[in-house]
Amino acid sequence: MGFAANLGKVAAPSLSSPVSPRSGAEPNLERVTEKELVSVSADAAVNSQEGSVAIVAPDGLLESLRAELAKTESSRVSVLTAEEARGREFDRVVV
């Protein structure tokens, strides 16, 4: 949540910072090229720890991400837009 709070200070300084009732690890940030984005995102999701996993992506990447995930036969990864993911909880999220 610290990452979101810091991002919010820049993106929307007039809004209050989010507060999470849970604790967890800080996000892992990885810079990738546009060409690597789909494969790196799918790999990160499939290779994450146990539990539910979501990849949150823009509409234009959903089909490519789903096709990449189909190669892995992983059934625990959901590919969603930000609107679809809103209000849902996952153990891990790739954005």
Side-chain angles (χ1 to χ4, degrees):
M1 203 47 81
F3 179 78
N6 289 335
L7 181 62
K9 289 177 187 175
V10 175
S14 63
L15 299 179
S16 59
S17 295
V19 178
S20 175
R22 299 174 194 87
S23 62
E26 286 297 312
N28 177 31
L29 303 177
E30 184 174 346
R31 185 178 298 263
V32 297
T33 66
E34 186 174 343
K35 186 176 181 176
E36 300 170 313
L37 184 59
V38 169
S39 64
V40 170
S41 297
D43 287 345
V46 169
N47 294 317
S48 69
Q49 297 176 359
E50 298 280 330
S52 61
V53 182
I55 298 177
V56 179
D59 290 327
L61 290 178
L62 298 181
E63 186 175 319
S64 297
L65 286 163
R66 289 182 180 130
E68 188 72 21
L69 286 168
K71 298 176 192 175
T72 69
E73 300 180 11
S74 176
S75 61
R76 66 186 185 98
V77 179
S78 300
V79 179
L80 309 164
T81 64
E83 185 176 336
E84 293 169 331
R86 185 176 176 197
R88 297 178 65 183
E89 290 189 23
F90 298 94
D91 296 311
R92 303 280 182 260
V93 178
V94 176
V95 180

